[in-house]
């Protein structure tokens, strides 16, 4: 059997400040009822001033490292996924590496938005199986609350998103058993770029930063919610089915499905489309909102800690997001 990649530690961190739907009612023309009914979200976490994505990532990474019971110095590569890096450049991979004191190991930044964790997991899996690296820290983190439009104009977006981070430690399976990442499937369709994006800043503008863009609110993320909704409900089941086919599995074999937490109605539609009992679906968007790349590793860590994922469990992950990008991963825990 070829060596598979196993996850030896998981961790997550969310900033302590909770923002409820009622808090948002004070900022814009919205209601707790609308947000609950349309998204399933009750509250989300927002950072306080001065806290960046790499800070959340480092906390999540420390927790995953502690759970894996490893010395940080034995990590030989970092993969980081985010759409909200601390700086325009460089990405957060190097900041995580430096803040954790990981020497001069390489740090790869992955930019695939809500699908970022699955894309990053796929890349890390290839490195491990090829023997290139032996212990990878994969961290996905987001600070979105600092660039959302909390006016009435931005209410369709700003009520959905939250801040947070999740991390995993990846290593080759040392044993002759079937544990590990079984498959990853990645997809994209760049024809949908402007359906879910942050248009500006855009270096093809000269100069990149123009006051009129601020005045027009073009530095805020925007989406066509309906199109995103419809495509997410279609693409995530497709990606899961591709994994089932490749692995010769049936949906009944899946013990736990973790869909990207975009909207609880989307998660329920994905479950329905796949005909998987809703009890097998991890849903934490009520407390987290949509944390983009961080949503799957946060949910994964919670599911592991709650005992919903155990040794031998078959775990399916699926995500959909800006790009559009989407994908799935199957893991024998
Ligand atoms: N509070 C109150 N009303 C709101 C609102 C808010 N926060 N946001 C939007 N509305 C209003 C709109 O202005 C619109 O009003 P109108 O009908 O008078 O024009 C109405 O609600 C839209 O209702 P509807 O089209 O029925 O909403 P919906 O059921 O499509 O839900 C989303 C909207 C955004 C929740 C939904 O489309 C969605 O979740 N899309 C996917 C978003 C997503 O997951 N993005 C990230 C992907 S990774």
């Amino acid at each position: 059997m070829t060596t598979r990649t196993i996850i030896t530690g998981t961790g997550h961190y969310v900033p302590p400040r909770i923002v409820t739907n009622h808090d948002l009612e004070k900022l814009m023309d919205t209601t707790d009822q609308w947000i609950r009914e349309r998204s399933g979200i009750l509250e989300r976490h927002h950072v306080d001033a001065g806290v960046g994505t790499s800070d959340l990532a480092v906390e999540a990474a420390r927790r995953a490292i502690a759970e894996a019971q490893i010395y940080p110095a034995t990590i030989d590569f970092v993969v980081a996924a985010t759409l909200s890096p601390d700086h325009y450049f460089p990405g957060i991979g190097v900041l995580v590496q430096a803040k954790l004191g990981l020497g001069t190991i390489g740090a790869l930044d992955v930019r695939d938005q809500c699908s970022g964790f699955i894309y990053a997991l796929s890349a890390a899996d290839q490195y491990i199986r090829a023997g290139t690296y032996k212990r990878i820290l994969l961290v996905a983190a987001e600070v979105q609350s600092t660039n959302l439009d909390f006016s009435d104009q931005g209410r369709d977006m700003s009520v959905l998103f939250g801040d947070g981070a999740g991390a995993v430690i990846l290593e080759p399976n040392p044993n002759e058993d079937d544990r590990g990442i079984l498959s990853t499937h990645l997809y994209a369709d760049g024809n949908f770029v402007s359906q879910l994006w942050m248009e500006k800043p855009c270096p093809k503008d000269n100069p990149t930063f123009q006051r009129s863009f601020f005045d027009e609110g073009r530095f805020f993320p925007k989406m066509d919610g309906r199109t995103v909704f419809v495509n997410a409900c279609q693409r995530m089941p497709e990606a899961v089915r591709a994994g089932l086919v490749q692995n010769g599995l049936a949906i009944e074999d899946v013990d736990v499905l973790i869909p990207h937490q975009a909207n609880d109605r989307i998660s329920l539609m994905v479950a329905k489309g796949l005909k998987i009992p809703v009890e097998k679906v991890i849903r934490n968007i009520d407390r987290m909102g949509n944390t983009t790349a961080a949503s799957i590793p946060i949910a994964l860590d919670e599911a592991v800690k709650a005992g919903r994922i155990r040794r031998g469990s078959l775990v399916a992950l699926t995500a959909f997001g800006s790009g559009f990008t989407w994908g799935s991963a199957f893991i024998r825990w």
Side-chain angles (χ1 to χ4, degrees):
M1 186 183 292
T2 52
T3 303
R4 284 188 179 148
T5 307
I6 54 171
I7 294 177
T8 55
T10 61
H12 84 274
Y13 176 78
V14 288
R17 187 159 63 89
I18 292 173
V19 175
T20 66
N21 294 344
H22 294 294
D23 293 330
L24 295 178
E25 283 174 348
K26 293 172 199 143
L27 302 176
M28 64 185 87
D29 180 15
T30 191
T31 61
D32 171 54
Q33 190 187 353
W34 191 96
I35 302 170
R36 275 174 197 255
E37 286 178 4
R38 302 305 168 104
S39 72
I41 298 167
L42 310 186
E43 60 189 36
R44 72 289 288 146
H45 294 253
H46 285 180
V47 292
D48 289 316
V51 177
T53 300
S54 71
D55 299 313
L56 305 186
V58 163
E59 285 306 317
R62 286 205 173 106
R63 292 170 188 205
I65 289 167
E67 193 188 286
Q69 298 185 309
I70 58 168
Y71 291 109
T74 60
I75 294 169
D76 55 5
F77 197 63
V78 174
V79 183
T82 188
L83 63 68
S84 52
D86 294 22
H87 304 284
Y88 194 56
F89 71 84
I92 62 163
V94 292
L95 291 168
V96 169
Q97 180 243 43
K99 288 180 183 181
L100 288 171
L102 300 181
T104 56
I105 62 170
L108 171 71
D109 274 80
V110 170
R111 281 289 310 266
D112 288 282
Q113 300 67 248
C114 297
S115 309
F117 181 77
I118 289 182
Y119 267 75
L121 188 73
S122 180
D125 179 38
Q126 314 304 318
Y127 282 131
I128 298 270
R129 283 192 293 118
T132 312
Y133 299 113
K134 297 258 174 284
R135 188 167 270 171
I136 296 180
L137 165 64
L138 193 179
V139 61
E142 304 289 0
V143 168
Q144 305 182 104
S145 59
T146 52
N147 190 42
L148 291 171
D149 179 359
F150 290 105
S151 75
D152 292 355
Q153 220 173 4
R155 63 184 181 168
D156 60 328
M157 282 298 266
S158 56
V159 300
L160 299 179
F161 292 91
D163 304 336
V168 296
I169 303 294
L170 298 156
E171 303 181 25
N173 181 353
N175 301 316
E176 292 280 315
D177 58 33
D178 68 346
R179 294 181 61 220
I181 298 174
L182 309 184
S183 65
T184 55
H185 284 83
L186 309 178
Y187 305 94
D189 187 345
N191 291 305
F192 290 91
V193 167
S194 61
Q195 260 72 28
L196 178 56
W197 70 342
M198 187 172 135
E199 185 194 357
K200 308 288 181 188
C202 175
K204 77 178 179 190
D205 295 323
N206 190 0
T208 298
F209 294 88
Q210 297 179 27
R211 185 162 298 279
S212 63
F213 298 155
F214 280 103
D215 298 341
E216 294 158 10
R218 291 165 81 188
F219 286 89
F220 289 125
K222 299 260 166 37
M223 71 174 172
D224 172 350
R226 235 335 106 107
T227 303
V228 174
F229 194 99
V230 169
N231 279 271
C233 292
Q234 181 192 334
R235 295 308 198 178
M236 283 195 273
E238 278 176 11
V240 171
R241 279 189 210 107
L244 290 173
V245 169
Q246 178 169 325
N247 296 304
L249 295 164
I251 194 68
E252 293 74 28
D253 297 320
V254 175
D255 296 303
V256 172
L257 174 71
I258 306 183
H260 164 55
Q261 309 287 302
N263 179 325
D264 205 39
R265 282 161 57 215
I266 295 177
S267 296
L268 294 174
M269 292 290 280
V270 168
K272 195 172 162 202
L274 287 168
K275 299 192 172 58
I276 186 168
V278 79
E279 304 75 57
K280 289 187 172 183
V281 181
I282 303 294
R283 297 154 63 206
N284 68 2
I285 195 168
D286 55 335
R287 293 174 287 110
M288 296 291 171
N290 179 349
T291 57
T292 315
S295 94
I296 290 179
I298 292 174
L300 180 69
D301 185 44
E302 287 195 337
V304 169
K305 301 282 161 35
R308 291 184 69 178
I309 296 175
R310 300 189 201 117
R311 179 68 68 99
S313 298
L314 180 67
V315 181
L317 314 177
T318 186
F320 179 88
S322 164
F324 291 154
T325 57
W326 65 98
S328 71
F330 278 71
I331 306 168
R332 177 70 66 188
W333 205 258

